[in-house]
Amino acid sequence: MFEYVMTEKMPSRSHCPINYALESFGDKWTLLIIRDLMFNGKQSYGELLTSDEKISTNILADRLKRLEDLDIVAKGADASNRTKVIYSLTPKGRDLLPIMLELTEWSGKYDAQTEAPKSFLKHLENDKQRLIEIIRSGWDAS
Amino acid sequence: MFEYVMTEKMPSRSHCPINYALESFGDKWTLLIIRDLMFNGKQSYGELLTSDEKISTNILADRLKRLEDLDIVAKGADASNRTKVIYSLTPKGRDLLPIMLELTEWSGKYDAQTEAPKSFLKHLENDKQRLIEIIRSGWDAS
DNA sequence: CTGTATCCTTAGGGATACTG
DNA sequence: CAGTATCCCTAAGGATACAG
């Protein structure tokens, strides 16, 4: 039987930067995982399974693997608990923050159903750059 | 036979703003259409068909319909040519610009294959806010 | 030129059982 | 807890022919 060679890269459709972003996380699930790691304090496989959108186990495993290959997410062991697996964002993953903030701002402006509080969105609009710097310095400190 | 009622809304998975963005344009094609309308001066169905990524006719028609429903793209008639159809971005669509710029910047930073010139990316990093204002004022003038 | 329609194949993904 | 494996089904999408 033919074994699929994982090291083969998907052929990319073009070298456009928008297309690169789409091929990295242009599906219905990947950005939700990144959101949970970035904003919702989730670190473990089990925690990532519990989001509102109800990702299934096989999809989550597949996406985490992809994100590791792309060096957006890193997999490590918990220092205090050797058996526990911890996922975290790499620098490349953390650099998605401005994108996440713009997505949040746009949806907050146009989706009446959004759960993001208006006060947060207002703050975002005014102090986006400072917000980015604050969160980044928080990471550097840790 | 059962007729699918187009006015039925897709049930949304959650009220998270990231999820709203994903359900608006979280697929492999939509953002490429927006890119072509926003940056590449394309206006017609035929022009939109000719991009590097080779979208097929049925997919293009489907996405344009969705984008119209979402009020991101508007369909109009060419003033000088009554038979020609013109697509353009609505204000909601133009508000995707900051997202597009962040996507471009991120890909430019991490994709060695990107076609965006480094000089453009450097300029983007330094003068993003001014760039947004310049392009916005251009639209307002037209 | 601007789409529709159809055919057909593959990829995505839900449900769930199972394993170290 | 952290995944794998399997089953099965639907949506996504390529190719292409056709229509107004």
PDB file of all heavy atoms in Angstrom, chain B residues 36 42 45-55:
ATOM      1  N   ASP B  36      -8.610  40.735  -4.551  1.00  0.00           N
ATOM      2  CA  ASP B  36      -8.604  41.193  -5.940  1.00  0.00           C
ATOM      3  C   ASP B  36      -9.423  42.465  -6.126  1.00  0.00           C
ATOM      4  O   ASP B  36      -9.068  43.322  -6.928  1.00  0.00           O
ATOM      5  CB  ASP B  36      -9.126  40.088  -6.863  1.00  0.00           C
ATOM      6  CG  ASP B  36      -8.106  38.965  -7.034  1.00  0.00           C
ATOM      7  OD1 ASP B  36      -6.918  39.185  -6.729  1.00  0.00           O
ATOM      8  OD2 ASP B  36      -8.501  37.871  -7.473  1.00  0.00           O
ATOM      9  N   LYS B  42      -9.616  44.607  -9.793  1.00  0.00           N
ATOM     10  CA  LYS B  42     -10.572  43.789 -10.549  1.00  0.00           C
ATOM     11  C   LYS B  42     -11.996  44.187 -10.206  1.00  0.00           C
ATOM     12  O   LYS B  42     -12.291  44.524  -9.048  1.00  0.00           O
ATOM     13  CB  LYS B  42     -10.332  42.307 -10.256  1.00  0.00           C
ATOM     14  CG  LYS B  42      -8.899  41.908 -10.588  1.00  0.00           C
ATOM     15  CD  LYS B  42      -8.708  40.407 -10.668  1.00  0.00           C
ATOM     16  CE  LYS B  42      -7.277  40.117 -11.116  1.00  0.00           C
ATOM     17  NZ  LYS B  42      -7.007  38.688 -11.276  1.00  0.00           N
ATOM     18  N   TYR B  45     -16.679  39.841 -13.234  1.00  0.00           N
ATOM     19  CA  TYR B  45     -16.663  38.390 -13.051  1.00  0.00           C
ATOM     20  C   TYR B  45     -15.506  37.752 -13.802  1.00  0.00           C
ATOM     21  O   TYR B  45     -14.771  36.929 -13.254  1.00  0.00           O
ATOM     22  CB  TYR B  45     -17.997  37.831 -13.544  1.00  0.00           C
ATOM     23  CG  TYR B  45     -18.264  36.410 -13.191  1.00  0.00           C
ATOM     24  CD1 TYR B  45     -18.867  36.072 -11.991  1.00  0.00           C
ATOM     25  CD2 TYR B  45     -17.931  35.390 -14.083  1.00  0.00           C
ATOM     26  CE1 TYR B  45     -19.130  34.758 -11.671  1.00  0.00           C
ATOM     27  CE2 TYR B  45     -18.186  34.069 -13.771  1.00  0.00           C
ATOM     28  CZ  TYR B  45     -18.787  33.744 -12.568  1.00  0.00           C
ATOM     29  OH  TYR B  45     -19.034  32.448 -12.253  1.00  0.00           O
ATOM     30  N   GLY B  46     -15.346  38.151 -15.035  1.00  0.00           N
ATOM     31  CA  GLY B  46     -14.271  37.603 -15.851  1.00  0.00           C
ATOM     32  C   GLY B  46     -12.895  37.885 -15.287  1.00  0.00           C
ATOM     33  O   GLY B  46     -12.029  37.010 -15.279  1.00  0.00           O
ATOM     34  N   GLU B  47     -12.697  39.094 -14.809  1.00  0.00           N
ATOM     35  CA  GLU B  47     -11.404  39.440 -14.216  1.00  0.00           C
ATOM     36  C   GLU B  47     -11.145  38.613 -12.961  1.00  0.00           C
ATOM     37  O   GLU B  47     -10.025  38.150 -12.724  1.00  0.00           O
ATOM     38  CB  GLU B  47     -11.363  40.935 -13.883  1.00  0.00           C
ATOM     39  CG  GLU B  47     -11.238  41.838 -15.100  1.00  0.00           C
ATOM     40  CD  GLU B  47     -11.509  43.314 -14.786  1.00  0.00           C
ATOM     41  OE1 GLU B  47     -12.056  43.617 -13.695  1.00  0.00           O
ATOM     42  OE2 GLU B  47     -11.199  44.155 -15.634  1.00  0.00           O
ATOM     43  N   LEU B  48     -12.176  38.439 -12.175  1.00  0.00           N
ATOM     44  CA  LEU B  48     -12.022  37.670 -10.935  1.00  0.00           C
ATOM     45  C   LEU B  48     -11.700  36.202 -11.201  1.00  0.00           C
ATOM     46  O   LEU B  48     -11.137  35.516 -10.354  1.00  0.00           O
ATOM     47  CB  LEU B  48     -13.291  37.788 -10.086  1.00  0.00           C
ATOM     48  CG  LEU B  48     -13.547  39.170  -9.478  1.00  0.00           C
ATOM     49  CD1 LEU B  48     -14.946  39.266  -8.897  1.00  0.00           C
ATOM     50  CD2 LEU B  48     -12.514  39.488  -8.396  1.00  0.00           C
ATOM     51  N   LEU B  49     -12.055  35.739 -12.387  1.00  0.00           N
ATOM     52  CA  LEU B  49     -11.771  34.346 -12.746  1.00  0.00           C
ATOM     53  C   LEU B  49     -10.300  34.105 -13.076  1.00  0.00           C
ATOM     54  O   LEU B  49      -9.852  32.964 -13.091  1.00  0.00           O
ATOM     55  CB  LEU B  49     -12.619  33.932 -13.966  1.00  0.00           C
ATOM     56  CG  LEU B  49     -14.019  33.381 -13.705  1.00  0.00           C
ATOM     57  CD1 LEU B  49     -14.686  33.053 -15.025  1.00  0.00           C
ATOM     58  CD2 LEU B  49     -13.959  32.151 -12.809  1.00  0.00           C
ATOM     59  N   THR B  50      -9.567  35.173 -13.361  1.00  0.00           N
ATOM     60  CA  THR B  50      -8.224  34.996 -13.929  1.00  0.00           C
ATOM     61  C   THR B  50      -7.088  34.981 -12.910  1.00  0.00           C
ATOM     62  O   THR B  50      -5.928  35.012 -13.302  1.00  0.00           O
ATOM     63  CB  THR B  50      -7.917  36.136 -14.922  1.00  0.00           C
ATOM     64  OG1 THR B  50      -7.837  37.371 -14.178  1.00  0.00           O
ATOM     65  CG2 THR B  50      -8.983  36.253 -15.977  1.00  0.00           C
ATOM     66  N   SER B  51      -7.384  34.940 -11.631  1.00  0.00           N
ATOM     67  CA  SER B  51      -6.299  34.997 -10.652  1.00  0.00           C
ATOM     68  C   SER B  51      -5.434  33.740 -10.651  1.00  0.00           C
ATOM     69  O   SER B  51      -5.846  32.691 -11.143  1.00  0.00           O
ATOM     70  CB  SER B  51      -6.872  35.221  -9.253  1.00  0.00           C
ATOM     71  OG  SER B  51      -7.531  36.466  -9.221  1.00  0.00           O
ATOM     72  N   ASP B  52      -4.260  33.894 -10.061  1.00  0.00           N
ATOM     73  CA  ASP B  52      -3.303  32.793 -10.006  1.00  0.00           C
ATOM     74  C   ASP B  52      -3.892  31.521  -9.435  1.00  0.00           C
ATOM     75  O   ASP B  52      -3.506  30.422  -9.836  1.00  0.00           O
ATOM     76  CB  ASP B  52      -2.111  33.193  -9.116  1.00  0.00           C
ATOM     77  CG  ASP B  52      -1.182  34.158  -9.838  1.00  0.00           C
ATOM     78  OD1 ASP B  52      -1.392  34.384 -11.043  1.00  0.00           O
ATOM     79  OD2 ASP B  52      -0.259  34.683  -9.187  1.00  0.00           O
ATOM     80  N   GLU B  53      -4.788  31.666  -8.471  1.00  0.00           N
ATOM     81  CA  GLU B  53      -5.258  30.489  -7.752  1.00  0.00           C
ATOM     82  C   GLU B  53      -6.338  29.715  -8.509  1.00  0.00           C
ATOM     83  O   GLU B  53      -6.785  28.660  -8.053  1.00  0.00           O
ATOM     84  CB  GLU B  53      -5.762  30.887  -6.364  1.00  0.00           C
ATOM     85  CG  GLU B  53      -4.668  31.442  -5.468  1.00  0.00           C
ATOM     86  CD  GLU B  53      -4.481  32.961  -5.631  1.00  0.00           C
ATOM     87  OE1 GLU B  53      -5.253  33.553  -6.411  1.00  0.00           O
ATOM     88  OE2 GLU B  53      -3.571  33.513  -4.987  1.00  0.00           O
ATOM     89  N   LYS B  54      -6.783  30.247  -9.645  1.00  0.00           N
ATOM     90  CA  LYS B  54      -7.678  29.509 -10.540  1.00  0.00           C
ATOM     91  C   LYS B  54      -8.969  29.060  -9.875  1.00  0.00           C
ATOM     92  O   LYS B  54      -9.257  27.860  -9.785  1.00  0.00           O
ATOM     93  CB  LYS B  54      -6.957  28.274 -11.117  1.00  0.00           C
ATOM     94  CG  LYS B  54      -5.674  28.607 -11.870  1.00  0.00           C
ATOM     95  CD  LYS B  54      -5.908  28.640 -13.363  1.00  0.00           C
ATOM     96  CE  LYS B  54      -4.739  29.273 -14.118  1.00  0.00           C
ATOM     97  NZ  LYS B  54      -5.204  30.286 -15.071  1.00  0.00           N
ATOM     98  N   ILE B  55      -9.748  30.001  -9.446  1.00  0.00           N
ATOM     99  CA  ILE B  55     -11.063  29.680  -8.891  1.00  0.00           C
ATOM    100  C   ILE B  55     -11.976  29.226 -10.026  1.00  0.00           C
ATOM    101  O   ILE B  55     -11.876  29.707 -11.152  1.00  0.00           O
ATOM    102  CB  ILE B  55     -11.651  30.903  -8.153  1.00  0.00           C
ATOM    103  CG1 ILE B  55     -12.856  30.501  -7.311  1.00  0.00           C
ATOM    104  CG2 ILE B  55     -12.009  32.021  -9.131  1.00  0.00           C
ATOM    105  CD1 ILE B  55     -13.337  31.612  -6.362  1.00  0.00           C
TER     106      ILE B  55
END
